Amino acid sequence: MKALASDFDGTLYVNGKIDSKDVEAINQFQKDNLFGICTGRPIKHMVYFLTDHFKSDFYITSTGSYILDKELNVLYESEIPYKIACELIKQFNELHPMYLHVGGEDIYVIHEEIEELHSPQIIVDYDTIPQRHILNISTRANCIEEAIQIQNEIKKRFGQWIDVYRNDIYVDIVNKGVSKGKACQWIKNHYNIDTLYGIGDNYNDIPMFESCDYSFSFTYSPEDVQNQSTYVIDSINQAIQNCQTND
């Protein structure tokens, strides 16, 4: 059996929409294979965006911290230790407003200036940060250079306990040892997948590329990302055609 793990932003969701040709190709692929989402977003965003398009066979969310099956049963969870999360937020939140993915709940927003999200926001202060199920801490920089700087600063101070990934101007923090790649390997073993494909457009997708048998990036991806993938294509439906003919 084959499976394709797909990033969401910049891959499936491009310029504010999901292409109907990609949806058609995904539905066709799912007749004999598995198609799953592998994203830095939380699970509630995926339910919001995908309900009217197709049903994913699995969900890797929060940059690999939270894995669910097609019925949204939790298969795997890795949380950031509470003390580490609190200290990290206190050190960086004033300059770089952060928000949390907390289990399957709505995003807990730590800073009131964060833009409105697709699910109701729950505002917390430093004293009421949830003590369990902190899967991902995210922030958004003003530019790529600032995002790189934030990533490096967090790694320098907290790299012993957490891992940090960059997706364009977004920075995602997860528990040590967590990545899209580790999650893809978990999925491959769990579903006894023979050939696993991965597709993504940015730096946080590179661990996924490394864990998959074959990988796809896009002609608009950063050159470093293209160089890490097996194939460079224009769309998900083109990637699926390649998956179906590559035996």
Side-chain angles (χ1 to χ4, degrees):
M1 179 173 61
K2 299 177 181 180
L4 175 59
S6 173
D7 175 46
F8 184 70
D9 290 286
T11 298
L12 179 63
Y13 187 67
V14 181
N15 296 325
K17 66 177 183 178
I18 298 174
D19 194 298
S20 60
K21 292 181 180 178
D22 289 342
V23 173
E24 182 179 351
I26 290 167
N27 288 327
Q28 184 66 31
F29 184 74
Q30 286 180 303
K31 291 181 179 179
D32 299 305
N33 307 285
L34 301 180
F35 181 92
I37 297 297
C38 186
T39 179
R41 288 195 187 233
I43 184 60
K44 283 203 170 182
H45 280 202
M46 294 303 94
V47 173
Y48 175 87
F49 279 108
L50 299 181
T51 297
D52 296 331
H53 297 285
F54 64 90
K55 192 170 188 177
S56 183
D57 293 304
F58 58 85
Y59 299 87
I60 296 171
T61 62
S62 299
T63 318
S65 297
Y66 209 47
I67 304 176
L68 306 94
D69 66 16
K70 67 189 304 180
E71 303 302 332
L72 302 181
N73 298 305
V74 179
L75 303 177
Y76 172 88
E77 175 183 340
S78 181
E79 62 184 58
I80 300 171
Y82 172 69
K83 290 184 179 180
I84 299 301
C86 287
E87 187 62 29
L88 192 152
I89 290 167
K90 288 177 182 178
Q91 287 193 28
F92 287 93
N93 188 56
E94 295 304 318
L95 290 176
H96 314 294
M98 295 183 167
Y99 56 94
L100 311 181
H101 303 179
V102 183
E105 297 298 324
D106 297 333
I107 289 179
Y108 289 75
V109 180
I110 303 299
H111 194 287
E112 293 182 359
E113 294 182 3
I114 292 290
E115 65 184 68
E116 184 177 355
L117 301 170
H118 296 290
S119 53
Q121 300 178 60
I122 301 175
I123 309 295
V124 297
D125 57 30
Y126 296 138
D127 295 326
T128 56
I129 294 172
Q131 296 190 23
R132 295 293 307 277
H133 308 296
I134 301 175
L135 306 174
N136 185 306
I137 303 172
S138 297
T139 189
R140 182 179 65 182
N142 293 312
C143 61
I144 290 176
E145 290 74 20
E146 184 183 40
I148 294 172
Q149 180 183 359
I150 295 170
Q151 181 183 27
N152 290 338
E153 288 177 357
I154 293 174
K155 276 185 177 181
K156 183 177 180 179
R157 299 189 198 181
F158 292 91
Q160 180 179 351
W161 302 284
I162 51 88
D163 283 320
V164 193
Y165 300 98
R166 181 173 68 83
N167 178 14
D168 194 42
I169 62 172
Y170 293 89
V171 177
D172 292 322
I173 304 154
V174 293
N175 194 25
K176 191 69 178 178
V178 169
S179 70
K180 287 186 174 185
K182 293 286 182 63
C184 281
Q185 191 60 53
W186 194 98
I187 284 291
K188 185 176 183 180
N189 295 334
H190 180 76
Y191 288 103
N192 295 314
I193 295 166
D194 297 312
T195 306
L196 179 61
Y197 298 83
I199 182 168
D201 72 304
N202 221 295
Y203 290 96
N204 62 336
D205 297 310
I206 291 176
M208 174 172 61
F209 297 168
E210 295 171 345
S211 290
C212 291
D213 298 293
Y214 302 95
S215 58
F216 303 92
S217 62
F218 295 91
T219 52
Y220 53 80
S221 298
E223 186 175 353
D224 291 344
V225 176
Q226 293 185 34
N227 291 339
Q228 295 293 322
S229 65
T230 313
Y231 306 103
V232 178
I233 45 79
D234 294 312
S235 65
I236 283 185
N237 66 78
Q238 183 182 348
I240 287 176
Q241 292 176 24
N242 190 303
C243 294
Q244 291 172 324
T245 57
N246 186 2
D247 294 315

